[in-house]
Amino acid sequence: MKKTLDEAQEFANDLIDFISYSPSTFHVVRNIKAALLRKGFKELLPQDSWQIEKEGKYFVAQNDTALAAFVVGMGQPEKDGFRVIAAHTDSPALKIKPNPEITVSNAYIKLNVEVYGGAILNTWFDRPLSIAGRVVLKSKNVFQPEIRQFNLKRPLLQIPNLAIHFNRKVNDGVAINEQNDLTPLIACIKSPLEGENYLVNIIAEELNVSPDSILDFDLSLYDVQKGCLIGADREFISSPKLDNLSMIHAGMEGLFTSQNINATQVMVCYDNEEVGSRTRQGAASPFLKNILERVVSKLGGKTEEFLRAVANSFMISADCAHALHPNFAQMSCPTNHPFLNKGPVLKYNADQKYCTDAFSGAVFSSLAAMAGSPLQKFTNRSDLAGGSTLGSISTSQIDFKCVDVGTPILAMHSIRELGGVYDHFNMKNIFKTFYSL
């Protein structure tokens, strides 16, 4: 037991490092790329003609925020199919608007932001925040501007709460106005014109470029406090973005530690799940379908072979699940409520917000048993509508047999979530087993 805890803690600390180095979706994909290249994968560009070989290792990126990696199987795609794990790179955030500077009483500079996804907004208050994402610069080719990743790597902003002396009912619950209440403070004004292009000037200085060369940016705020292990036995993971970088981390490790098989192994990391997936880098796009069609084509197959490959495939849609909350147990289903560190979770929903059915649930249950992992089941209370995830969305594009699973966490969509070290470790082992069959 002690050895297993040590192994689980080591793997959890690796996850915490991965999240810390990935403050934006652009950094997530950059770090996945770096890991893939270290493991001998080759990047394929969508605009190029591909050369695909059996047992070759490849990856394709989309918009710098989504990525699909695959190891071509030793068998025939139409007979052996694909083994696919899908997760997503994005998390709820506060995104910086264009022309973001707001001056207050000629004394303060704030930044204008908007909410991305279903964030728990009050968790963003009173924390040191920084800025990360990408910046787009002028180049000689108007259709190929230069792209730079950006991470300020230091505390820069804070969204201060209103003191209780001005709002005596604050602990009774306060409605948060997304426009007025969430603008982070960045500086005091020292001269009358200082508020103009304040952020662009910071970006230019950090990137060592002229402010005039900056055409646009995709930037969001993030919590600068790194995750950590907590609990009496350090059995919990306290970290930003467990939903859903933990599933990417476990999936990539499962891919890296498995052996080549007859089926083609695929790890796809979509973007924009938190806002509905309806983008060219989201699960509702043909991104994955286009890649797999090209793989089959390069191996000599046509439409018939591709459709046969799909029919012989299986997808695991991996996104975090809700654990029973110790302070709000009444919010969980009476009979299907997971706990932290009691095993990964099968997710069911009668309205197909999760795509798990008896067939796909049985397949995943068998995989968990083979991996030596406990398994739990989740359904929402019948009187409480839940969220959706990648499974049903992605299978509307490519009709794999599919199951929705995840590791249980608390405080989902908070700026800081809580998971279990054993669950993350066990999910990795299930993914490795899946990729090995």
Side-chain angles (χ1 to χ4, degrees):
M1 184 69 176
K2 179 64 165 61
K3 181 180 178 182
T4 302
L5 177 59
D6 289 343
E7 291 174 337
Q9 289 171 337
E10 181 180 1
F11 190 53
N13 277 317
D14 192 69
L15 166 64
I16 289 169
D17 288 341
F18 171 62
I19 293 173
S20 178
Y21 297 141
S22 305
S24 76
T25 52
F26 305 99
H27 292 83
V28 173
V29 169
R30 181 198 67 181
N31 293 329
I32 296 171
K33 282 186 177 183
L36 290 165
L37 291 170
R38 288 194 298 269
K39 294 293 185 178
F41 284 71
K42 177 183 177 182
E43 183 170 10
L44 300 174
L45 301 179
Q47 64 268 30
D48 290 348
S49 177
W50 294 356
Q51 300 299 316
I52 300 289
E53 298 177 353
K54 289 189 177 182
E55 300 187 67
K57 300 189 289 187
Y58 308 95
F59 68 90
V60 184
Q62 181 84 305
N63 195 38
D64 297 325
T65 62
L67 181 145
F70 57 96
V71 180
V72 180
M74 298 183 293
Q76 300 297 324
E78 63 270 25
K79 295 180 180 178
D80 300 298
F82 305 101
R83 300 286 182 270
V84 184
I85 295 174
H88 63 89
T89 62
D90 60 320
S91 301
L94 300 182
K95 186 175 181 179
I96 299 175
K97 292 183 178 182
N99 306 312
E101 294 83 6
I102 299 174
T103 60
V104 180
S105 302
N106 203 30
Y108 299 130
I109 302 174
K110 306 188 300 180
L111 294 186
N112 196 5
V113 300
E114 59 183 325
V115 178
Y116 174 89
I120 301 179
L121 297 178
N122 63 9
T123 64
W124 284 81
F125 286 82
D126 303 325
R127 291 177 179 269
L129 304 171
S130 193
I131 298 172
R134 71 175 172 184
V135 177
V136 182
L137 308 176
K138 292 179 182 177
S139 74
K140 294 180 179 179
N141 185 343
V142 68
F143 294 106
Q144 294 293 331
E146 182 183 354
I147 296 174
R148 296 270 199 99
Q149 292 204 346
F150 181 83
N151 181 10
L152 206 55
K153 294 183 180 179
R154 64 180 175 89
L156 182 69
L157 317 100
Q158 187 160 315
I159 305 171
N161 249 308
L162 181 65
I164 194 171
H165 310 81
F166 299 116
N167 184 5
R168 294 292 181 179
K169 296 183 178 180
V170 64
N171 292 321
D172 297 332
V174 174
I176 297 172
N177 183 286
E178 295 182 5
Q179 181 60 65
N180 298 332
D181 300 339
L182 291 176
T183 47
L185 179 65
I186 190 172
C188 290
I189 294 177
K190 296 182 285 294
S191 61
L193 299 179
E194 191 177 18
E196 297 182 8
N197 296 318
Y198 192 86
L199 179 61
V200 166
N201 290 330
I202 290 176
I203 296 169
E205 181 178 359
E206 184 72 16
L207 295 179
N208 194 27
V209 299
S210 164
D212 293 338
S213 69
I214 298 174
L215 295 174
D216 211 337
F217 53 74
D218 292 309
L219 297 173
S220 297
L221 309 186
Y222 72 92
D223 182 6
V224 299
Q225 184 179 5
K226 186 176 180 180
C228 60
L229 300 185
I230 67 169
D233 293 321
R234 299 174 66 244
E235 69 267 45
F236 302 125
I237 309 170
S238 173
S239 175
K241 303 184 181 184
L242 292 178
D243 175 23
N244 194 41
L245 297 192
S246 61
M247 294 297 90
I248 289 179
H249 181 257
M252 295 303 299
E253 186 65 18
L255 181 64
F256 291 154
T257 55
S258 60
Q259 301 298 315
N260 288 7
I261 58 174
N262 286 338
T264 293
Q265 304 152 315
V266 184
M267 178 73 203
V268 59
C269 306
Y270 292 114
D271 190 14
N272 303 129
E273 188 275 344
E274 300 293 357
V275 293
S277 297
R278 300 176 68 85
T279 62
R280 70 186 184 96
Q281 57 273 2
S285 76
F287 172 56
L288 179 61
K289 181 180 180 181
N290 290 346
I291 291 171
L292 299 184
E293 281 188 305
R294 291 179 74 170
V295 170
V296 172
S297 174
K298 289 298 179 178
L299 294 176
K302 297 181 180 180
T303 300
E304 173 78 7
E305 286 72 31
F306 173 69
L307 295 176
R308 290 173 62 193
V310 170
N312 284 316
S313 299
F314 194 89
M315 172 185 274
I316 296 174
S317 164
D319 198 359
C320 288
H322 296 289
L324 182 139
H325 197 297
N327 298 338
F328 301 94
Q330 72 278 9
M331 300 307 296
S332 292
C333 171
T335 60
N336 296 288
H337 44 258
F339 298 93
L340 297 183
N341 284 319
K342 299 296 185 182
V345 177
L346 272 168
K347 301 192 287 187
Y348 295 84
N349 180 263
D351 290 336
Q352 292 298 292
K353 291 182 178 180
Y354 304 132
C355 66
T356 307
D357 56 22
F359 179 90
S360 62
V363 170
F364 192 81
S365 296
S366 297
L367 291 170
M370 293 176 68
S373 170
L375 189 63
Q376 306 182 84
K377 294 183 179 181
F378 170 83
T379 59
N380 282 296
R381 284 179 56 100
S382 300
D383 56 359
L384 185 65
S388 61
T389 184
L390 299 167
S392 296
I393 296 172
S394 56
T395 54
S396 69
Q397 287 291 324
I398 182 166
D399 55 336
F400 290 135
K401 295 178 283 290
C402 186
V403 63
D404 268 307
V405 304
T407 50
I409 64 171
L410 295 170
M412 186 182 291
H413 289 192
S414 170
I415 199 172
R416 199 171 186 90
E417 298 161 328
L418 189 68
V421 298
Y422 288 112
D423 299 324
H424 187 55
F425 186 69
N426 282 323
M427 187 65 95
K428 181 263 294 185
N429 290 336
I430 296 174
F431 288 166
K432 179 181 178 180
T433 301
F434 173 66
Y435 278 137
S436 299
L437 298 175

